Amino acid sequence: MGVGPDMNCFQWQNLASDYLDGALMGALKREADEHLEECEDCGDRQKHYRILVSAISNQPRSVLPIPIRRAPFSATFAIRDAMRRQSIRSRWEAVPWYLRTALEGTSIVFLIIFAISLGPRVRALYERNIEHRLAAFNESFRLAEFSDDLEAVQDEPSYGGAPATIALSRGIPAESLDGVPAAETEEFSGETEEETTVVESHASSAGNAAIKVGNSEVWRFNYKTDSPHELRARVIQALKALNFDLTTAAATGIEAPGGIQFDLLVSQAQVVALKQELEKIAPVPAAAIPQGPKYVETSANLHPVTLTESFAWYRSRSKRALPKGKARVVIWLSQM
Amino acid sequence: MASKKETSSATESLLQNYGDLLFDLCESALWSPGSAQVAFRSILKKLVRQKKSLAFIENERGWVLAVAFAELKRLARNHGRKLSASEQIQLDGNTNVSSRLKQFESYFQRLSFDDQMLLILRDKYGLPYREIASATGFPEGTIKVRRQQALRTLEEWVWDRT
């Protein structure tokens, strides 16, 4: 079959494979030869094709290794591990695509669900961290606020120093004002319920003799009053009566947001007496008075005090060690 | 000691007649001795299994090549050697023909699996187009055209005719 007197490059390209193989005959071969002589481009291509074909044919030929020839299904070579890795990969990829997709998708979904379920836990950890840091900040804030107390306490010869200093400036748990024992109370063991129960009314002195003051205890006396300043004078008077050292600011009452606080470090033997004195100045609640409010005499002068005050006390174990033989007393006069 | 199964007559005859061809074909297609061994074993298993079920095979070599081609094509998808980006850049950065010819195998690997197999079967083993067509499943005319196109592509890479 001839292609015409003038074979073009496109026609020659179509016949290049047969030309390489020497399969062209007669007129077709003649025309192809003529085209190659005329067209430099096709002539160069033809030469390059022959070089490429010879390069392919000269590629080395491998011979089947004898171990494989003897045992073609079980023979292995030193590259077994690499093949095993490859076979593992190929085994997975040999699984049908829809199964692979389903398994991979299911795994991804489970991973996402697991990650989402971790969210609340991570958040709880974060919030707990925030709370710890806030508590530490509040503590340091109170330390700065009651710096006079710290100096006075550090002058105490029997005082241990920083740990006890920090103990004296701890705040009063909010639960104590409501009469509910604070969390610290739960740490205290070996006491009867009567001793740890918050007394909301005027306590009788009958049980005071049985009270034993232990080591590292914090005694809290909370008053709710309309006039903390008036009550402050009475507390100071009670402390003077017991010959307490009132040279420090904390011993004479420090004004804090919401009231006035006394913070004392007293010997364990004096705690019960102090309690009795404080109970004396704790007024009777208004509900117990049949004829309206009464006026209470104070040593300073007669000051009208509305008898809507409440009094509560409780004790707990201090988280920080106090000097031996000492107990911490915190008196809180909160503004109603 | 080889098991009875491994030294069956079917296996022995296949190994005797086509063992070298198959192994070399596997290495040429997969470019890795390890992969070639896996491929060879897989092809031989299929051949032995099919030979037991076939009563008569008209063109045994064509049948062997057909099974080998199909299996190698499947394995080449996962185990075929792929040039890394740095190798590709190096190939494109060759400045003269002689250095490119030295790296002819790398350029050859750039071709598709089908084109590589066509050139190997035709130009390395000298098999007739009819046999190549029965092995690959392509028509003879298509094989000639694809061979020419593969050679042209190689020529453009090596002699920088793009």
Side-chain angles (χ1 to χ4, degrees):
Chain A
M1 180 185 77
V3 295
D6 294 323
M7 180 186 284
N8 57 33
C9 295
F10 178 75
Q11 290 166 337
W12 185 87
Q13 285 287 330
N14 289 337
L15 298 171
S17 188
D18 288 330
Y19 188 88
L20 271 174
D21 298 332
L24 291 182
M25 299 293 186
L28 208 56
K29 186 177 186 312
R30 201 165 43 249
E31 286 166 12
D33 289 334
E34 285 173 6
H35 178 75
L36 286 178
E37 286 170 8
E38 291 167 2
C39 178
E40 189 182 344
D41 197 39
C42 291
D44 289 339
R45 273 191 205 278
Q46 178 61 20
K47 291 175 195 169
H48 298 159
Y49 288 170
R50 291 201 186 279
I51 294 171
L52 293 172
V53 167
S54 67
I56 294 170
S57 63
N58 291 334
Q59 282 180 351
R61 298 193 185 194
S62 303
V63 178
L64 184 63
I66 295 174
I68 296 180
R69 189 179 291 274
R70 286 177 182 166
F73 299 114
S74 59
T76 55
F77 286 84
I79 51 174
R80 185 194 312 178
D81 292 335
M83 286 311 302
R84 188 174 297 137
R85 279 196 296 273
Q86 283 186 345
S87 66
I88 289 170
R89 180 169 167 265
S90 67
R91 245 182 275 150
W92 172 248
E93 290 179 349
V95 174
W97 67 269
Y98 46 87
L99 277 177
R100 261 190 289 142
T101 308
L103 284 169
E104 287 168 0
T106 309
S107 309
I108 291 168
V109 167
F110 273 120
L111 275 172
I112 291 170
I113 291 171
F114 178 70
I116 290 170
S117 68
L118 282 179
R121 292 181 196 178
V122 171
R123 187 183 171 186
L125 283 171
Y126 173 72
E127 287 175 353
R128 204 179 302 165
N129 183 33
I130 294 288
E131 284 171 9
H132 283 313
R133 289 165 69 179
L134 195 60
F137 172 75
N138 287 339
E139 199 162 310
S140 65
F141 182 74
R142 289 199 188 95
L143 277 173
E145 206 173 39
F146 301 118
S147 58
D148 289 341
D149 275 356
L150 294 177
E151 290 172 2
V153 166
Q154 281 169 356
D155 290 340
E156 279 280 335
S158 61
Y159 211 58
T165 304
I166 294 169
L168 285 181
S169 55
R170 287 178 64 199
I172 297 174
E175 295 85 351
S176 65
L177 298 176
D178 297 328
V180 177
E184 293 177 284
T185 310
E186 295 172 357
E187 299 176 15
F188 205 84
S189 60
E191 288 186 337
T192 63
E193 188 178 359
E194 185 181 354
E195 291 169 345
T196 54
T197 302
V198 174
V199 178
E200 296 185 350
S201 61
H202 186 67
S204 67
S205 59
N208 287 343
I211 294 175
K212 290 181 184 176
V213 182
N215 291 325
S216 297
E217 285 186 5
V218 180
W219 287 72
R220 297 184 187 274
F221 301 91
N222 299 326
Y223 293 89
K224 280 187 183 174
T225 176
D226 289 333
S227 54
H229 291 279
E230 305 302 331
L231 198 55
R232 177 186 185 182
R234 293 157 66 185
V235 170
I236 291 172
Q237 191 183 12
L239 294 174
K240 277 183 181 173
L242 292 171
N243 299 319
F244 280 106
D245 180 17
L246 299 179
T247 54
T248 61
T252 56
I254 297 175
E255 289 199 25
I260 299 173
Q261 178 173 297
F262 293 79
D263 207 331
L264 306 159
L265 194 68
V266 304
S267 66
Q268 293 173 359
Q270 292 176 305
V271 172
V272 176
L274 177 59
K275 176 176 173 293
Q276 290 173 352
E277 290 298 321
L278 292 176
E279 284 170 349
K280 285 177 187 173
I281 63 176
V284 178
I289 302 172
Q291 301 170 359
K294 289 187 178 176
Y295 293 101
V296 177
E297 289 190 6
T298 64
S299 61
N301 206 338
L302 275 177
H303 294 279
V305 177
T306 309
L307 290 180
T308 56
E309 299 157 351
S310 63
F311 172 70
W313 70 269
Y314 66 94
R315 64 176 178 176
S316 58
R317 173 95 51 199
S318 172
K319 286 184 178 175
R320 293 181 177 81
L322 297 176
K324 199 172 180 182
K326 297 281 186 181
R328 183 185 172 197
V329 172
V330 178
I331 304 168
W332 174 243
L333 314 177
S334 67
Q335 175 75 52
M336 284 182 66
Chain B
M1 187 168 146
S3 66
K4 198 181 277 187
K5 185 179 174 183
E6 293 181 358
T7 56
S8 67
S9 58
T11 310
E12 276 185 12
S13 69
L14 285 169
L15 287 172
Q16 183 74 28
N17 298 328
Y18 309 108
D20 293 334
L21 172 64
L22 279 177
F23 191 78
D24 183 63
L25 196 63
C26 293
E27 281 205 346
S28 301
L30 300 179
W31 298 90
S32 160
S35 302
Q37 290 176 32
V38 172
F40 179 81
R41 197 171 294 148
S42 173
I43 293 167
L44 193 62
K45 276 183 185 173
K46 285 193 174 177
L47 289 172
V48 169
R49 205 180 307 132
Q50 286 185 18
K51 190 161 188 182
K52 287 177 183 174
S53 61
L54 291 171
F56 172 72
I57 301 169
E58 186 179 346
N59 182 2
E60 192 176 62
R61 189 169 70 174
W63 162 69
V64 168
L65 289 173
V67 172
F69 182 82
E71 188 66 11
L72 286 171
K73 190 166 186 177
R74 184 184 71 81
L75 291 170
R77 274 199 291 265
N78 304 324
H79 298 292
R81 186 172 178 276
K82 294 175 181 60
L83 294 175
S84 63
S86 58
E87 286 172 325
Q88 298 272 13
I89 291 169
Q90 188 195 5
L91 288 179
D92 292 332
N94 281 331
T95 51
N96 55 49
V97 177
S98 59
S99 63
R100 291 196 205 108
L101 278 172
K102 285 177 185 175
Q103 292 183 296
F104 172 76
E105 284 190 8
S106 300
Y107 287 105
F108 191 76
Q109 285 178 26
R110 274 180 162 182
L111 292 172
S112 67
F113 174 80
D114 289 341
D115 289 343
Q116 289 184 40
M117 290 302 290
L118 285 178
L119 291 176
I120 288 169
L121 291 173
R122 177 61 191 170
D123 296 309
K124 187 174 180 181
Y125 299 123
L127 299 179
Y129 286 112
R130 179 174 38 83
E131 206 165 318
I132 297 172
S134 72
T136 59
F138 300 135
E140 279 190 43
T142 305
I143 291 172
K144 290 180 183 179
V145 170
R146 288 195 69 163
R147 178 192 176 215
Q148 181 270 324
Q149 288 173 346
L151 286 172
R152 181 173 178 150
T153 304
L154 273 175
E155 192 252 349
E156 286 173 357
W157 284 339
V158 175
W159 277 273
D160 199 14
R161 275 174 169 267
T162 52

